[in-house]
Structure formats: structure tokens, C-alpha cells
Amino acid sequence: MKTFYITTAIDYVNGSPHLGHAYEKVLTDVIARFRRMMGDEVYFLTGTDEHGQKIQQSARARGVAPQAFVDAIAPQFQEMCNRLEISNDDFIRTTEERHKRVVCELLQQLFDKGEIYKAEYQGYYSTRQEQFLQGKGRNEDGSWPEIYGEVTEITESNYFFKLASYQQWLIDHIKANPEFILPRYRAKQVLEFLSEPLNDLCISRPKERLEWGIPLPFDPDFVTYVWFDALTNYYSAVVDKPGVWPASFHVIGKDILVPPHAVYWPIMLHACGIAIPQSILAHGWWSINGAKMSKSTGNFVEPLEFVDTYGVDALRYFLIREMSVGQDSDFSLDQFWVRYNSELANNLGNLVNRTLNMTNRFAASTVPGVGPVGDAETALKAVWEKTHAEVIPLFEEFQFNVGLERIFAFITATNAYIEQRAPWKLGKSTDPADQAILQTSLATMAEALRLGSSLLQAVIPGTVQKIHGVLGYTAGSTWMDELVWGDRLTGKSVEKTCILFPRPDKKV
Ligand code: MSP
């Protein structure tokens, strides 16, 4: 079986991790956990992008060597992954030898094949964006857009990769493989970009202008420029691991789809004779309170502060529930509170507490076996069957927000079932028929809670483990088996209480 190999973008380390970085890790983690639960062999890579002018400048501004600078920041990204309970198998840093070696091998190979050539280049250069600009990007009055900062005209010799000669091959590949760019509507954007003739790609910077990069193996007066170095991480991390490459999914933000991931990367690989990834999944961007995220204006969410205050699963849940993969979304504290209170604390939290409380009160803390089954149980079981059947395909299609909505509708239905059966009334009756229904209702609510929470496992793994723990349950077989309605909890001892989502004292 081919390994399901999934990656995130590697983050620039010229600042601390922010919500956008956190989201991408969580989204990729949810996919990785889901695929593992579905029985795939998964390999999950994330990491940091540590070369380039901005990093060189940030290091200089602090008066430290670039290596010392990145060595200080990269651990913050690793720490973020740990705190967010990201289940990555590896974390690659582009300053590692294993990475630099592979970048050099690929560059040398392309150079030997004549795919890389040296030429004089004259053009407009933006230091802020670290890129040469195309004339068509100018404003109507001839000035350059604000985002480029100071733009100067320069002439320099550089190395170029023959991107243009692969243009038609890429267009054909995208048209023949509708799963290559996801969500599918984004392929249109890529094809639009490819409808104009491609320029060859400048892949170097002279050392006197940029020192902080990987020296070209065939000309040490130059270093590799950003994308050739960064993109190669996906391959360099697994080159020694048989059966892992090609990647199944590269998860990235929409800003780096065109041209780097959808154009440069497949062409680079194809030119090297390496298989190209199966799919690139581009997610949308988070704004905060309706505006662009910005540290300088204070419109910022520190993901780890959020985790400290509300717990990791509250953040994971919100990110996945709120954003439709591919679309942009807004992070507002008010909306976070609505979901935290109504969905996590009240709906799910209450179901857990009621189940424990009533099993303790009416069944000596032990989940009873099911007695006679009535319409209420049949109806709830039918809701479960429908939820189960709908959620898996939704997750397969990355529609996690809709999947979560369905799971929570099932949790709501379970709470409604409890209201309907009212075990607290049945518990007061001495009629043996009522006692039998009481047993059934206790067993049914516990089983529904076990199942509903099992479906949430990829999104809020720690919480699900807690819920299963207080129900005295240890998952023992495949996830698919675990999702079958049955009597796995009969005879299990439950805990007294469990506060899953307490009301925090402080609002971030
Ligand atoms: N280093 C490059 C990626 C190289 S991949 C071979 C880079 N780094 S980044 O730190 O700027 O961004 C890392 C990822 O975070 C990107 O996929 C980017 O889209 C994502 N996000 C950055 N800000 C974001 C939001 N505000 N919202 C959602 N994701 C965002 O680009």
C-alpha cells in the first residue's frame, strides 16, 4: 500500500508562529489522523524555511549570525506543533545538512542536463518581496504597489531554470488530473496563469547580495534563491524512506499556490525525472475581527496563549468548525465564545455530565445492558446511522466544517433523547417496566456518546480520549469497527464527573 504522505508549507522563521501557521498545522493534522483512522499508512511532514534575505536582515538587525537566529526561532515552531498536538512524523529545517545535500544534488543534475543556464538579467527588484517584478504589475500611474516597498532597477548575472519549456506539459497534466489542484475551482486560477507564456525561473542570487542561502554546487559565488530551496524540503525529508514519495497532499495557503506550488514545483520535479505529487490542497486565509492579521496594529491572536486559556481542543475545534477548507474565514472572539459555550461546553459537555451523573445515580456507576427497545431508541439509532454514513465521505472531501455540524446534530439528538426518556423520572418509579426502560436509556445514551465522540477523534483527540476514559472504554479494534452501534460499554464502570470545557476566568 502506498504511504499517504502529507505535508504542510514550511514556515518562515523571521517572526513567531501565528494563527495562520497554527491553522495549517491543525488542518493537516486532522487529515493525517483521519487517514490513519481509515487504515492508511501515513507519513506527515512539517518544518521551517530558514534561508533568504528577510531572515538575513532580521538576524542582522539583532546583531546575531543567521544560523544563531534561526536556531533560536525554529524551536518556537516545534513547540507550537507539540502544544497543538500535531502528530507529525518529522520536522525538517532547511538549514539541515540532509536538506542542503538534496537541493545540491537536484541543482547539479539539472545543470548537467542543460536545464539551468546563466544569463544577464535586467529588471526591477523589490527588496521587501525579494523578487524581480514584471512590468505588468505596476499601477496605472507607473508607480509600484505599496506591498513591494522600494523598487530599484538592477542588472545582474544569474542562473535560470528552463521553466518555459514545460508549460504545455503542465497544462495537459492539470487538465487530465482534476484532483491535482484542490479545491477544484482553484485549478482555473492556475490555468489562467499558464495561459500567458512562462518566463524561465531565476533560481540564484549573487553571494554579495544574499549570503544566507545554499551555495550553488556548480558556482559557489551564487546561492539558491527561495523557492528552489524551500520546495525541495518535501522531497529531501523522505528521499531515504522507501515508498513515501510522491506526496499525496501538499497542504498550503492560497497565497503560495500560484506560481510556486502549482507551477514551479511540478516542473522542477518533472525536469529531474521525479514523480510529481498527487494533489495540492490550498486553504484560505484567516482575518481577525474582520481585518488583516497584523502584529503592529495589535490585530493578532497568539495561538499558544489561546491554548493556555481555553485548552488545545477548543482552538482545534474552532479552527476546523469555522473555516470551510479553501475559503477565507474570520476569527472573532465573539464567534469563538458562541461555539465554545453552546457546542463544546453545553452540548457535548452536558451530554458527558448527564451520562456520568445518571449512570452513577441509577446504575451504581456501571453501564447496564440494553433492555427493551422502543421508538425513541430506534429513532436515535437511525440518526446515528445517517450521521456515520454522511460524515466519512464529508471528511474524505475535506468538508470538515460540515462533518462537524452533522456530528453535533447527533449530539443534540442524543440530548433530546435523554429529555424524552427523562431517566430522572423513571428512576423514581418502582414499576419493573420503567426500570427496564431506564436501563435501556442509560445504555443508549452511553453508547451514543461513545460513538459521537469517536467520530470527533481526528479533530479533538485529547477530549475524545478523556470521554472514552471516563466511560471506562478503551478502543481496541479498527476505527470502522469502533463506529458500529453495539454493546461495547455494557458492564463498564464510569467515573463520577468530568469537566471538559470549563468556563475560563480570563478572556484572551
Ligand atoms: N516559507 C513559505 C512557504 C514555503 S513552502 C515550501 C511561506 N511561509 S509563511 O510563514 O509565510 O507561511 C506559511 C504558511 O502559512 C503558508 O501556507 C501560508 O499560506 C500560511 N498562512 C500565513 N498567514 C495565513 C493566514 N492569515 N491565514 C491562513 N494561513 C496563512 O509562505
Side-chain angles (χ1 to χ4, degrees):
M1 183 169 61
K2 158 87 180 78
T3 300
F4 182 90
Y5 175 32
I6 189 162
T7 67
T8 69
I10 48 170
D11 302 327
Y12 288 131
V13 289
N14 50 341
S16 305
H18 57 60
L19 187 75
H21 299 136
Y23 170 69
E24 191 173 284
K25 305 288 177 293
V26 171
L27 170 64
T28 314
D29 185 58
V30 170
I31 301 171
R33 286 178 186 268
F34 171 65
R35 296 299 342 167
R36 279 190 209 107
M37 283 158 20
M38 293 293 285
D40 282 341
E41 173 89 30
V42 172
Y43 196 81
F44 174 9
L45 175 74
T46 185
T48 40
D49 190 354
E50 305 191 355
H51 291 121
Q53 197 151 332
K54 280 188 201 148
I55 288 166
Q56 182 172 302
Q57 280 165 352
S58 302
R60 241 179 230 155
R62 284 172 183 73
V64 291
Q67 188 66 57
F69 176 76
V70 298
D71 285 348
I73 309 262
Q76 290 184 26
F77 284 83
Q78 285 164 323
E79 162 74 1
M80 177 179 73
C81 287
N82 292 339
R83 300 281 312 281
L84 292 173
E85 294 180 8
I86 305 301
S87 61
N88 55 303
D89 296 286
D90 193 4
F91 189 103
I92 190 158
R93 299 179 52 190
T94 54
T95 49
E96 286 176 70
E97 278 314 315
R98 61 172 173 153
H99 172 71
K100 295 195 272 190
R101 177 178 60 79
V102 176
V103 170
C104 288
E105 279 168 14
L106 297 190
L107 283 168
Q108 186 68 53
Q109 191 187 332
L110 291 175
F111 184 71
D112 293 345
K113 280 205 226 168
E115 297 283 345
I116 289 176
Y117 62 93
K118 194 174 186 183
E120 186 112 301
Y121 188 89
Q122 187 175 34
Y124 292 97
Y125 186 78
S126 151
T127 314
R128 186 186 292 168
Q129 296 295 331
E130 291 184 50
Q131 75 183 64
F132 280 100
L133 306 176
Q134 309 254 348
K136 60 186 173 192
R138 281 188 197 227
N139 295 324
E140 272 176 18
D141 65 1
S143 63
W144 292 97
E146 177 77 35
I147 49 156
Y148 296 125
E150 194 194 344
V151 175
T152 43
E153 193 174 10
I154 56 173
T155 305
E156 72 183 24
S157 281
N158 262 312
Y159 285 89
F160 290 82
F161 167 50
K162 290 185 181 166
L163 203 64
S165 51
Y166 295 93
Q167 183 157 359
Q168 194 53 48
W169 164 80
L170 183 59
I171 293 172
D172 293 345
H173 181 80
I174 293 171
K175 287 188 175 162
N177 294 277
E179 298 285 306
F180 183 53
I181 309 285
L182 294 172
R184 286 178 183 213
Y185 55 80
R186 291 234 176 254
K188 216 169 122 206
Q189 188 192 341
V190 183
L191 289 170
E192 240 163 59
F193 181 85
L194 288 168
S195 66
E196 300 274 327
L198 278 180
N199 293 322
D200 284 347
L201 177 67
C202 180
I203 57 145
S204 67
R205 287 291 177 268
K207 240 191 186 156
E208 70 259 16
R209 197 145 68 73
L210 175 65
E211 269 172 64
W212 187 235
I214 304 174
L216 296 185
F218 41 84
D219 190 343
D221 290 339
F222 290 81
V223 299
T224 41
Y225 167 61
V226 176
W227 287 108
F228 210 101
D229 174 355
L231 289 162
T232 303
N233 89 86
Y234 302 132
Y235 181 67
S236 62
V238 297
V239 72
D240 296 330
K241 296 191 164 45
V244 176
W245 189 262
S248 310
F249 282 91
H250 290 313
V251 179
I252 54 162
K254 63 177 187 178
D255 57 314
I256 53 172
L257 175 67
V258 186
H261 282 81
V263 179
Y264 302 162
W265 183 225
I267 292 183
M268 278 164 59
L269 289 164
H270 187 61
C272 290
I274 300 170
I276 69 169
Q278 177 200 318
S279 287
I280 302 165
L281 176 66
H283 61 74
W285 266 44
W286 285 96
S287 56
I288 298 185
N289 299 315
K292 196 171 183 299
M293 205 186 297
S294 158
K295 248 195 173 161
S296 51
T297 62
N299 198 38
F300 203 74
V301 169
E302 288 284 0
L304 295 189
E305 246 179 58
F306 236 80
V307 170
D308 286 340
T309 314
Y310 301 102
V312 59
D313 282 347
L315 180 64
R316 287 178 64 110
Y317 176 76
F318 182 76
L319 292 175
I320 298 300
R321 176 65 186 85
E322 194 65 17
M323 193 179 249
S324 161
V325 174
Q327 309 284 323
D328 294 342
S329 208
D330 187 51
F331 194 106
S332 88
L333 198 54
D334 288 343
Q335 179 66 354
F336 175 82
W337 266 104
V338 169
R339 295 212 183 278
Y340 185 92
N341 282 323
S342 71
E343 295 168 22
L344 295 176
N346 293 342
N347 204 357
L348 180 60
N350 269 352
L351 176 58
V352 173
N353 282 328
R354 286 168 130 182
T355 307
L356 297 184
N357 182 349
M358 284 181 269
T359 312
N360 280 301
R361 263 172 74 193
F362 303 122
S365 309
T366 304
V367 180
V370 189
V373 168
D375 289 350
E377 287 74 29
T378 310
L380 184 63
K381 203 172 162 199
V383 180
W384 165 251
E385 301 300 349
K386 188 164 177 284
T387 307
H388 179 197
E390 283 176 355
V391 166
I392 306 269
L394 284 167
F395 277 18
E396 278 172 330
E397 295 281 316
F398 311 115
Q399 293 191 51
F400 297 110
N401 57 331
V402 187
L404 287 177
E405 190 194 315
R406 302 284 153 82
I407 300 169
F408 272 79
F410 172 67
I411 290 167
T412 304
T414 308
N415 275 317
Y417 162 82
I418 298 174
E419 293 293 329
Q420 191 186 347
R421 280 297 189 206
W424 49 90
K425 284 190 194 148
L426 296 168
K428 286 188 192 140
S429 163
T430 46
D431 181 343
D434 285 344
Q435 286 299 318
I437 299 171
L438 174 62
Q439 307 264 301
T440 295
S441 65
L442 295 177
T444 303
M445 71 174 86
E447 181 62 356
L449 172 58
R450 180 188 75 80
L451 290 164
S453 57
S454 292
L455 267 189
L456 291 168
Q457 202 160 308
V459 182
I460 49 173
T463 298
V464 174
Q465 207 182 349
K466 261 194 221 161
I467 295 174
H468 286 174
V470 295
L471 289 175
Y473 175 66
T474 10
S477 52
T478 67
W479 191 53
M480 280 299 151
D481 287 345
E482 304 289 334
L483 295 177
V484 175
W485 189 294
D487 59 0
R488 287 185 155 80
L489 293 178
T490 307
K492 299 281 187 231
S493 287
V494 306
E495 298 284 335
K496 294 274 174 258
T497 53
C498 171
I499 311 274
L500 289 176
F501 296 100
R503 281 201 152 253
D505 308 330
K506 137 180 153 199
K507 272 193 175 190
V508 168

